[in-house]
Amino acid sequence: MKSAPTDTAASNPFLDSSLVNYVDAPNDFHVDSAKVYGHFLTEEEGESLKIDVLSRMRRRRILKGHWDAVITNYKEIELQDFDSHSLSPVSSEAIERVRRHIAQSHSGINSGSLKWLPCHAIFLKKEGYLLPHVDSVKFSGGIVAGLSLMSSTIMRLKPASPGELDSADNEDSTFDAAINSDNKCIENAGHVDLLLPPLSLYVLSGVSRFRYTHELLPSGCEFNMPAGNSQTNTIDINRDDRISVIFRDTNESV
């Protein structure tokens, strides 16, 4: 059953409820499981991360993907913690600040106790896509979060099918739900849209992490602002090339 968020803008100045549209959410969706923090990064942090990520990717070619790939037209690198000296101090501190915030606000665990997988940075071309999937739970834990750089996009959450949940349980790769007739999310079951502007941070936990797929909508889609917001009711999102820096905690049961 949908419930009101426990976080408020007063308790966290970065939290922006206008960036999440729950109007079409299924009744069993938990509002607190999907959060967007607008302008979480400073302009300096965002520019520093962009430069560091693009410089490390410059010799990598764009991957076109495969017929059943979840993601196409992208580059990906792993930002190993022991390589932190190769990132600028501004970028390294931004990553640590995100981790501290997630640990304190979403995990219920002391920030020094939560264990993290290395961050992944993904460069996605304008014409690329990220199809519905559930991230593997074989090694990663209860948090999937991401920083957005360069371009806005819309992330859509939808209830996962049994096939997609099985893929998440059994696969080793980052992107798990194969696109076939047995592995498609449940149609007409409702959805939740997250608007991810540059410098924002999204955090998925609980049902959004484990029971819902997430995808990025193509360029040209509209984001409908929640009712009562003083801004324009509908925003056209023309997605361009973008970077995501992805955060995942470890699966402590492994």
Side-chain angles (χ1 to χ4, degrees), residues 34-253:
K35 299 288 188 182
V36 179
Y37 298 84
H39 220 287
F40 187 91
L41 294 178
T42 66
E43 295 284 350
E44 181 187 16
E45 289 171 329
E47 184 66 15
S48 178
L49 279 167
K50 183 183 79 170
I51 291 172
D52 281 345
V53 168
L54 290 178
S55 67
R56 291 170 66 113
M57 287 182 171
R58 66 183 181 275
R59 295 184 179 177
R60 299 196 175 218
R61 62 183 179 87
I62 296 291
L63 301 176
K64 298 297 184 180
H66 195 257
W67 70 271
D68 63 351
V70 168
I71 186 170
T72 66
N73 290 289
Y74 74 104
K75 298 180 183 181
E76 182 179 18
I77 59 170
E78 191 173 82
L79 303 176
Q80 289 281 359
D81 289 346
F82 55 76
D83 286 338
S84 60
H85 64 274
S86 64
L87 297 176
S88 71
V90 173
S91 295
S92 296
E93 174 53 30
I95 288 173
E96 289 307 311
R97 186 164 70 84
V98 171
R99 287 173 167 172
R100 289 194 300 268
H101 170 78
I102 293 172
Q104 293 166 2
S105 301
H106 292 272
S107 72
I109 299 174
N110 182 280
S111 59
S113 301
L114 192 63
K115 296 180 180 178
W116 295 95
L117 295 171
C119 288
H120 278 80
I122 301 171
F123 174 83
L124 184 67
K125 293 288 289 181
K126 177 181 179 179
E127 62 271 21
Y129 58 74
L130 181 69
L131 293 179
H133 67 284
V134 179
D135 283 9
S136 174
V137 298
K138 189 168 184 179
F139 299 108
S140 58
I143 297 290
V144 173
L147 293 169
S148 294
L149 303 173
M150 296 174 56
S151 175
S152 297
T153 191
I154 300 171
M155 175 176 282
R156 177 162 290 179
L157 310 179
K158 294 189 287 190
S161 69
E164 286 165 323
L165 296 177
D166 286 343
S167 291
D169 286 338
N170 298 316
E171 296 294 330
D172 295 340
S173 62
T174 300
F175 306 108
D176 299 304
I179 306 303
N180 58 49
S181 59
D182 297 322
N183 248 19
K184 291 185 178 179
C185 55
I186 302 170
E187 298 296 335
N188 303 316
H191 64 270
V192 174
D193 284 345
L194 284 61
L195 178 58
L196 308 179
L199 307 180
S200 67
L201 169 71
Y202 74 84
V203 183
L204 306 181
S205 59
V207 297
S208 290
R209 161 67 179 99
F210 293 113
R211 311 301 298 180
Y212 278 65
T213 64
H214 59 277
E215 64 186 292
L216 297 184
L217 300 187
S219 183
C221 289
E222 295 180 341
F223 180 79
N224 296 314
M225 302 296 290
N229 191 280
S230 60
Q231 303 178 49
T232 304
N233 289 333
T234 301
I235 301 176
D236 295 322
I237 302 300
N238 295 310
R239 197 188 79 198
D240 210 327
D241 296 350
R242 69 188 311 274
I243 292 173
S244 301
V245 180
I246 308 300
F247 297 76
R248 298 180 181 88
D249 61 327
T250 59
N251 184 344
E252 291 298 310
S253 65

